[in-house]
């Protein structure tokens, strides 16, 4: 396998793991990833997702943002709010993994809709609010109501016309 351009992420991870006095296997177990996969990340053969980096950061008790920057996922000065929002969602112990992934997908779709996609300029506030008003959210009930975060139905939606 050829080495991917992931900066010095692998070297940094190895250094942090050793500073924490963890074996590769211990860190893999703590982060919930396979030992061979973590080894490939450390050697620069795999580029991990933001979610995997979040898990590794949590296991090492270091900033996930630092790993995102080193992996080339995040520009150090850009998208700080997005990273913090994602980290809060991923770290919420009251949500299961499926719920976290659904929330992240909805969050990303709203960001794209509002012009905050990768390398795109932000939309004006009024424009963004106008475009998101009335957007359906996955999890709508069969009766046309919207399911709330707690799982209850908010009731049927009223439509103009």
């Amino acid at each position: 396998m050829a080495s991917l351009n992931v900066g010095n992420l692998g070297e940094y991870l190895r250094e942090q793991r050793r500073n924490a006095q963890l074996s590769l296997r211990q860190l893999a177990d703590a982060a919930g990833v396979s030992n061979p996969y973590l080894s490939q990340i450390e050697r620069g053969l795999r580029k991990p997702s933001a979610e995997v980096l979040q898990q590794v950061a949590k296991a090492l008790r270091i900033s996930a943002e630092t790993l995102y920057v080193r992996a080339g996922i995040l520009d150090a000065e850009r998208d700080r709010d997005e990273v913090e929002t994602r980290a809060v969602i991923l770290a919420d112990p009251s949500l299961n993994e499926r719920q976290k992934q659904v929330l992240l997908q909805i969050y990303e779709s709203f960001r794209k809709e509002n012009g905050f996609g990768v390398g795109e300029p932000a939309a004006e506030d009024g424009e963004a609010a106008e475009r998101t008003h009335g957007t359906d959210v996955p999890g709508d009930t069969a009766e046309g109501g919207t399911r709330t975060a707690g799982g209850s139905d908010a009731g049927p939606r009223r439509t103009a016309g």
Side-chain angles (χ1 to χ4, degrees), residues 59-81:
L60 287 170
R61 296 187 176 143
I62 61 174
S63 164
E65 185 175 357
T66 302
L67 296 183
Y68 294 158
V69 170
R70 289 183 179 265
I73 293 173
L74 176 68
D75 181 344
E77 298 302 318
R78 234 180 59 206
D79 299 330
R80 192 172 307 273
D81 289 341

Side-chain angles (χ1 to χ4, degrees), residues 112-145:
K112 286 179 183 173
E113 182 177 322
N114 294 339
F116 286 90
V118 178
E120 295 177 23
E124 295 297 321
D125 286 344
E127 245 181 86
E130 187 177 308
R131 285 197 308 236
T132 58
H133 182 71
T135 302
D136 287 338
V137 176
D140 281 359
T141 63
E143 297 82 35

Side-chain angles (χ1 to χ4, degrees), residues 9-65:
L9 173 67
E11 293 171 19
Y12 181 76
L13 278 178
R14 182 176 290 125
E15 179 183 319
Q16 293 302 309
R17 177 176 59 78
R18 288 179 177 160
N19 287 343
Q21 298 180 338
L22 293 171
S23 69
L24 192 64
R25 186 176 308 276
Q26 289 170 321
L27 178 57
D29 288 344
V33 298
S34 74
N35 189 32
Y37 182 62
L38 186 58
S39 174
Q40 290 173 345
I41 294 169
E42 281 194 1
R43 292 181 286 140
L45 301 176
R46 295 275 184 166
K47 182 174 182 175
S49 68
E51 288 79 13
V52 167
L53 289 175
Q54 172 74 25
Q55 292 169 257
V56 171
K58 187 175 178 182
L60 287 170
R61 296 187 176 143
I62 61 174
S63 164
E65 185 175 357

Side-chain angles (χ1 to χ4, degrees), residues 78-95:
R78 234 180 59 206
D79 299 330
R80 192 172 307 273
D81 289 341
E82 178 189 3
V83 170
E84 289 173 0
T85 301
R86 289 176 180 278
V88 167
I89 291 169
L90 290 169
D92 189 333
S94 66
L95 301 173

Side-chain angles (χ1 to χ4, degrees), residues 139-156:
D140 281 359
T141 63
E143 297 82 35
T146 303
R147 191 166 301 279
T148 63
S152 63
D153 290 340

